[in-house]
Every structure is written in structure tokens, then in C-alpha cells.
Amino acid sequence: MNSSLLPHQRPGRAGRYAVVAMLLLALAGAGIGYLYWRPMGEQAAGAAKGDGNGGSPKGGGGRFGGGGRNQAVSVAEVQRLDVRQTIQAIGTLTALNTALVRAKIDGELKALRFTEGQMVRAGDVLAEIDDRNALAQLAQAEGQLARDVAQLRNAQLDLQRYQGLLEKDAIARQQVESQQALVRQLQGTVQSDQAQLDAAKLQLTHTRVTAPISGRLGLKQTELGSLVRAGDANGIVSITQTDPMAVLFAVPEIHVPLIQRKLRAGQVLPVQVWDRDAKQMLAQGRVSSTDNAIDLATGTLRLKAIFPNADGSLFPNQFANIRLQLDTLKDSLAVPSAAVQRGAAGTFVYVVQADNSVLTRVVQLDAQDGDWQAIRGPVQPGDRVVTDGADRLRDGSKVEVVKSAPNRAASGEAAKDKAPAAAGAAGPAAAAPSAAPAAPAPAPAAEGSGGAGGGRPPWMDRLPPEVQERVKNMSPEERRAFFQRMRERRQSQEP
């Protein structure tokens, strides 16, 4: 009977395969749901252990304990401070004066009286040249002068006799006048001989080569016994005056009026010189002069600053990072640099309200001094601004303050200088800033969180006990990395 059924009416294997496939899809969906909605405690444990066996860095639940909970942030207070207005630039150290010591006469180099790299004073003997030729010329000049002096003396005596005879009308006047002319001629000859003698003496002094300026010697350019000439291009040795030292750098032309106004008024423009890595300050000085024209190609003006170098540790042509202080903004509103956010509306800060909600306040930037940024806008001293954890905040978001940054004392002193960045910024706000302050990491002792246990934040209760202990024992850097991993896990799981 069954054999009489048509092929499409027989119960085939396709139906059974479809049922099995549906069951497998249902089981896979259940497994994915379990992995996605697994408890926060397992997520936090994996984050605390890092990328080891505790879990994949891309797992995770809600941000700091699941969706709907308040964002953990660090805050700092707006303060009124004296903020320095500075410019970052790149400069080159240069010697105040440089001299190439050359021989002034030709001769054999008999002695070198210096050591390479030695500090010398003006007038110190550096080398000696064979003086036999100069001595011979001196003797010749002395002999010629003595001969001509004797002739002049004889002519003067003859003139005296002729004048006596002329008074007695015993000699012709023409003879007396000729004798007078001879005396004047011999006087000129003696003067010429004296000049030649002085020149010979000067040539003799040139056999001793002396330092024209005080400074540091370079490497010698000739060897003992060599024939030196006055026209040698390399000379004998070079001298650079390194105390005081100079530095050349350029600033944008927008600052030229302020710089000129301060220099004309006799005000000091302080300059700090930092090393190539911007980790150590090399010297402090002041602007001494400016160039006479703005460079059309770069739109900058070259400045020269002078600073002491008594220990001789700085060398000409050395690279340097320059920090020029233009002015000091007295009693201006200032926030940590990390509190300044940038978006479509420009620069703004998140201000934490009394109910732990945040409001966006658009601000304008002024000068930056170290870790502090001077601002102008609708904020008041004492307002709390978010310095860390602002990456997912919106206007009106609820936050949990897990750390408050220490306030800087409003003493008017400048913040500790950080490493300057690349130069050539167009203004104080655009100048290469110092390294931004690392916002404090969330700590177990929360401020204003309203949690139980004497300030214990509520997000601590969402963690397993072993993770809570580990978080308590973490350093601020480890805690910061821990919460960063949790944020990354959450973001990777969001659709």
C-alpha cells in the first residue's frame, strides 16, 4: 500500500533535519544570552585579573555595574589663580662672541701654549711663531733710523752757521734757504724711519699669538712645526665666549606688539631653556634684543635671550626648548587641563551640581600654565568640574564622585613647569602645552556618594568580596587601569 504513494507524499528526512536544526538554533541562542547577561561579579573578577585566566578583555556587563547606574568620575574645583602666559618655541644656543685665531705674520709655528677645550682669558698667549725674521727687520729699521738722525743733526748745525753768516751779510740768502729745505727733508726721513721701526716692533709682537676674547678654545687646526700664514682660512684655533650665553628663537608675529611694548618700558621678559627631552631646565635668562624685521616665510620674529653659563655646561649650537613668559593673568579662573573637553560646540567643561548631575558649560581658553588652564565662561570659583570619566557624559547625566583632585593653593605662584611640547604655536592657548595631569583614579573612599559604611561607594557592593579586597589594595595607577578595562569590556558588548 505504501509503495503506491507518490514520492512527494512519503515522509522524507528533510522534515526531521529541519526540526533538529531549529533545536540547535534555540540552544545556541540560549548560550549567547547566558554569555551576554552573565553576572557583573564574574565580569569584575575578570577585569581585576587583567587579560589572564580571569576572562577575556571583551566580556562585561554594564558600565561600573550595569546599565542605568551613575557614571564614576573624578572632580576638581574651579580656582582663582595667577596664571602665567607663556609661549613655547624651539631655539639654538649660540656663543655671545666667536673668534677665529689666525697668525698675523708668516712663519714656522714653534710652540702651542694651550690645551684643546681650555678656558682662556683675553690676552693669554696661545702660540709662538719663529721670530728671527722679525728681529732682523727690527735691527734694520733701527740702523736706518740712526743713520738718518745723524744726517739730520749735521744739517741742522750747518743751518745754524749759515744763518750767522747771513746776519753779517757774508753768505747768499739762497744758500741759507736751501739748507733749511734740506733740514726739513731729513726730518721727514727720520719720521719715516721711526714708523718703520714701530712696524718692525709690532711684527715682533705678532710672533706671540694671543687670545682676542675670553672663552673656550676649540680643537687646534694646525700642528707644531707647520708653516703658518696670515691668510690661512682655518687659522690656529677658535674661541667661543660662552659666559654669558645666548639663545636664538622665533615667536609668532601676533605677540610682537606686546613684546615691543614691554621691552620699550624696560620690563624683563623671563626665558627658560629646557633640554631636548624637555625634562630638565638648563638655564633661566631674559630677552635682550629682537631682530629688525619679521620673517615673511614663517611670520615670526627672531629674539635673542641672554643667560649665565658660569659652569660652562652649555655649548653653542645646542638644541633647546624655550619657554617665554609674556605676562601673568592675575586672579583668573583656572581648572585642571584634563577638565577641558572639546566638541562641536567648542571647548567646554562638565560642572557637577548638588544632586550629582552634570551641566555643560562652554568656556573660552586663555593661557595654560603647567597643569592648569585659565578659562573664561559661566563658572564660579568652587564649582566642581569633571577631570576623569567624562568620555560618556551628557548634559544632565548622573555621576558618582569617586575622587576629588587636590586643590592648588591660590598663592599666585606658577605651577611647576612640565615638559614643553613642539614650538611654533600661534598663541598662549594654542601653545604647545605641558603634559596634561593624570586624573586621579577612583578610590574606595568616595566623596559625596551617599553610600553606606562611612562614605563607601555603592559600586563596591556590586563586586565580589575577593574583588573588593583587591581593589582596596590597588595603587591609584592599578585602579585606573582596572576601571579602564571595565569600560572597554562594556563598550565591546554594547550593540
Side-chain angles (χ1 to χ4, degrees), residues 62 293 295 299 303 345 375 378:
D295 189 346
L303 305 182
I375 61 172

Side-chain angles (χ1 to χ4, degrees), residues 22 55 105 148 155 179 198 213 221 250 254 257 272 290 304 311 318 347 350 376 381 422 454 478:
M22 293 179 62
I105 61 173
D148 292 340
Q179 189 65 28
D198 294 340
I213 60 174
Q221 301 298 319
I254 189 175
Q272 293 180 348
T290 67
K304 176 185 282 190
D311 58 355
Q318 184 177 350
T347 54
Y350 286 115
R376 290 177 286 110
E478 293 172 341

Side-chain angles (χ1 to χ4, degrees), residues 89-93 245-249 270-276 278-286 305-308 314 318-324 417 420:
I90 293 177
T92 303
L93 303 181
M245 199 76 164
V247 61
L248 297 177
F249 60 98
V271 176
Q272 293 180 348
V273 181
W274 292 72
D275 63 0
R276 180 179 293 272
K279 296 180 179 179
Q280 180 182 3
M281 187 171 66
L282 303 178
Q284 297 186 73
R286 55 187 292 271
I306 304 297
F307 54 91
L314 304 178
Q318 184 177 350
F319 176 89
N321 285 302
I322 308 300
R323 184 188 295 268
L324 169 64
D417 292 305

